[in-house]
Amino acid sequence: NPSVRRDNTMLIDKAVSFQEIEQLVGRANPKLIREVALHDVYMGKGIDPSKKSYLISIELRDDNKTLADKSVDKIIGRVFQLLTKDLGAEIRK
């Protein structure tokens, strides 16, 4: 079955590592979230000095069926909830 990839940008505290983000995202739905990748890190002009901007992609796949957008949106919503609550991330859509 095809994978679905969602790209998202977030502002996060400089002390937070990508590994922490990766682990947290994976916990949102270990069965369907197959990969979390970091594509860009930005620090500097326009960003609070204590923060960094991360562009991450989340790949989801269900081996049994094609994932519906509604299901993907629900999982990504859960990911955002965890990132915001546990790591203080500010999601930029």
Side-chain angles (χ1 to χ4, degrees):
N1 286 325
S3 296
V4 177
R5 182 177 137 169
R6 292 284 170 92
D7 293 340
N8 293 97
T9 303
M10 72 183 80
L11 270 183
I12 194 104
D13 193 281
K14 272 187 178 174
V16 176
S17 70
F18 174 67
Q19 189 176 8
E20 289 175 271
I21 292 170
E22 189 177 30
Q23 288 171 351
L24 191 70
V25 169
R27 281 205 331 251
N29 192 317
K31 185 177 164 229
L32 300 181
I33 294 175
R34 301 303 175 99
E35 185 182 9
V36 184
L38 178 61
H39 294 284
D40 188 45
V41 181
Y42 175 78
M43 292 177 276
K45 193 174 180 190
I47 300 225
D48 181 316
S50 68
K51 306 271 184 189
K52 56 190 169 188
S53 174
Y54 270 178
L55 170 62
I56 66 166
S57 67
I58 301 167
E59 185 182 318
L60 302 100
R61 189 177 73 246
D62 188 329
D63 291 334
N64 301 315
K65 63 181 188 232
T66 300
L67 284 170
D69 282 344
K70 194 174 173 184
S71 300
V72 173
D73 290 345
K74 191 174 177 183
I75 295 166
I76 296 297
R78 174 80 178 125
V79 165
F80 289 170
Q81 190 179 28
L82 285 171
L83 287 170
T84 304
K85 188 172 69 92
D86 292 10
L87 296 179
E90 183 185 317
I91 309 297
R92 300 188 154 185
K93 298 182 183 183

